[in-house]
Amino acid sequence: MTQAIDWKSLGFEYIKTPYRFLAKWKDGKWNEGELTEDNVLHISEASAALHYGQQCFEGLKAYGRKDGGINLFRADENSKRLNKSAERLRMPEVPEELFLKAVTSVVQANREFVPPYGTGATLYIRPLLIGVGDTIGVKPAPEFIFTVFCMPVGPYFKGGLTPTNFIVSDYDRAAPKGTGAAKVGGNYAASMLPGEEAHKHNFSDCIYLDPETHTKIEEVGSANFFGITKDNEFITPKSPSILPSITKYSLLYLAEHTLGMKAIEGDVYINELDHFVEAGACGTAAVISPIGAIQTKDEFHVFYSETEVGPVTKALYDELTGIQYGDRPAPAGWIFDVPVEK
């Protein structure tokens, strides 16, 4: 089957791969879990995940190295974030050991679907935690399923490292003191309508403002925002309702320690876009997507270019992907080597 895959033409779409990992929580504990070829979850019609949204998920990638090995990027941080989401929704913690075992075993079992080095494609990994079992009241589920599946993918935004344009939405992505900082399905369901409206007007996605004052940028669709100032500062929004992006915090570190920039997590006001000479969206799926321009109610603000990538954005992209693919030295603990038979 993999012979037929055109690695360089992959989009961000579901592809069924042979194996996934499944573990179950019941009576206060997780079982050992196992690999399965069944890509259908068999759950009660009364599962809390279906009725009350008691579910959360993660996204990370495996990268094929030049030497034939496979890297995982900061997988321990995905484990920690999953458990923070689980805590917010009253779900049991997935031990880091179980999380890493599941992710690693799925990558190993689907080794032939890890895109070769140099194709620009990656193996996207989706850990999922859902509340299941027979319950109809609004309360935590009696049982839970933790599963991990994967598929080869190309760029999340069409064109990859090519600037695209975004529009400020009138909708809110999350509520103050709500679940914005958790990676839960409800946040994404609410974004589908504004996302569709953005696409109808030929924008890649929405810019969401802070739900309390509607004056500050929070997120770019399902990704985090960053901007580069005229003074060579890397700035990204800070808010309790923003998902804490692992990619964003990696870029904050690289901007400061590798590029020598001043890295700031703070307010980004929508009426102060002229402070930035470059801007981008970042996340596991998006990696870095340069923002060519943002449409607000009053103006169409162009950053570096609508057609060319800015030099700082390109430098950050090269450094980050160089680390992920094993071509550049990584900070301690960032890279997990997946043991594979050669």
Side-chain angles (χ1 to χ4, degrees):
M1 178 179 175
T2 53
Q3 297 291 328
I5 295 179
D6 183 353
W7 301 109
K8 293 186 177 182
S9 298
L10 284 172
F12 200 85
E13 303 288 343
Y14 177 80
I15 294 174
K16 182 184 176 183
T17 50
Y19 299 99
R20 62 273 311 131
F21 183 92
L22 189 86
K24 296 182 179 180
W25 185 94
K26 188 175 181 180
D27 299 326
K29 61 182 180 180
W30 288 102
N31 66 6
E32 291 185 359
E34 61 182 357
L35 288 171
T36 174
E37 295 183 56
D38 189 359
N39 72 328
V40 177
L41 294 175
H42 303 269
I43 64 175
S44 167
E45 61 187 355
S47 292
L50 300 177
H51 299 267
Y52 307 121
Q54 193 180 30
Q55 62 85 247
C56 60
F57 67 99
E58 275 299 317
L60 65 159
K61 291 178 176 179
Y63 305 82
R65 298 196 308 263
K66 187 183 294 185
D67 64 3
I70 301 173
N71 283 346
L72 291 173
F73 181 71
R74 307 195 74 175
D76 57 330
E77 293 298 323
N78 290 98
S79 173
K80 293 171 186 173
R81 191 171 65 180
L82 180 79
N83 284 329
K84 287 181 181 177
S85 297
E87 181 182 15
R88 178 66 177 82
L89 268 63
R90 306 306 303 135
M91 304 171 79
E93 177 180 294
V94 176
E96 185 174 298
E97 182 180 359
L98 175 60
F99 182 95
L100 295 176
K101 169 189 170 184
V103 169
T104 301
S105 62
V106 165
V107 174
Q108 290 171 325
N110 296 288
R111 170 72 180 87
E112 62 181 318
F113 286 85
V114 178
Y117 175 86
T119 61
T122 54
L123 187 75
Y124 183 77
I125 304 160
R126 171 57 58 86
L128 173 68
L129 176 62
I130 62 173
V132 299
D134 298 324
T135 182
I136 204 65
V138 182
K139 59 184 178 182
E143 301 172 21
F144 295 86
I145 287 176
F146 171 61
T147 185
V148 178
F149 60 98
C150 68
M151 72 218 70
V153 299
Y156 185 78
F157 291 112
K158 292 180 180 178
L161 196 67
T162 302
T164 57
N165 301 333
F166 296 81
I167 185 171
V168 174
S169 177
D170 291 330
Y171 289 94
D172 289 332
R173 175 190 162 271
K177 300 183 180 179
T179 59
K183 198 168 179 65
V184 299
N187 295 344
Y188 296 81
S191 73
M192 290 183 184
L193 175 60
E196 281 189 3
E197 291 185 357
H199 297 155
K200 286 178 183 178
H201 291 90
N202 297 317
F203 292 95
S204 286
D205 213 325
C206 300
I207 298 285
Y208 293 103
L209 303 181
D210 72 290
E212 196 161 18
T213 70
H214 289 179
T215 61
K216 297 175 283 188
I217 291 178
E218 289 222 326
E219 293 205 0
V220 184
S222 56
N224 279 195
F225 175 89
F226 71 85
I228 309 299
T229 71
K230 301 169 185 176
D231 299 322
N232 202 37
E233 297 170 325
F234 178 97
I235 302 180
T236 185
K238 183 176 183 179
S239 164
S241 54
I242 293 178
L243 182 72
S245 165
I246 295 164
T247 303
K248 180 185 81 170
Y249 285 110
S250 300
L251 291 175
L252 277 163
Y253 181 92
L254 295 175
E256 180 179 357
H257 293 89
T258 303
L259 272 63
M261 305 173 68
K262 184 176 182 181
I264 302 168
E265 196 179 8
D267 292 335
V268 177
Y269 289 94
I270 192 63
N271 64 353
E272 296 180 352
L273 294 180
D274 58 348
H275 289 185
F276 301 103
V277 293
E278 297 180 38
C282 62
T284 297
V287 190
I288 291 179
S289 180
I291 298 176
I294 292 177
Q295 176 70 61
T296 68
K297 288 183 178 180
D298 303 319
E299 67 170 328
F300 183 72
H301 183 89
V302 178
F303 294 96
Y304 182 79
S305 168
E306 288 187 76
T307 58
E308 297 180 13
V309 182
V312 178
T313 300
K314 181 65 164 60
L316 285 168
Y317 177 86
D318 289 345
E319 186 64 27
L320 177 64
T321 56
I323 289 170
Q324 292 170 332
Y325 284 102
D327 295 330
R328 300 193 182 189
W334 280 24
I335 294 297
F336 289 70
D337 178 71
V338 179
V340 292
E341 294 182 3
K342 297 183 179 179

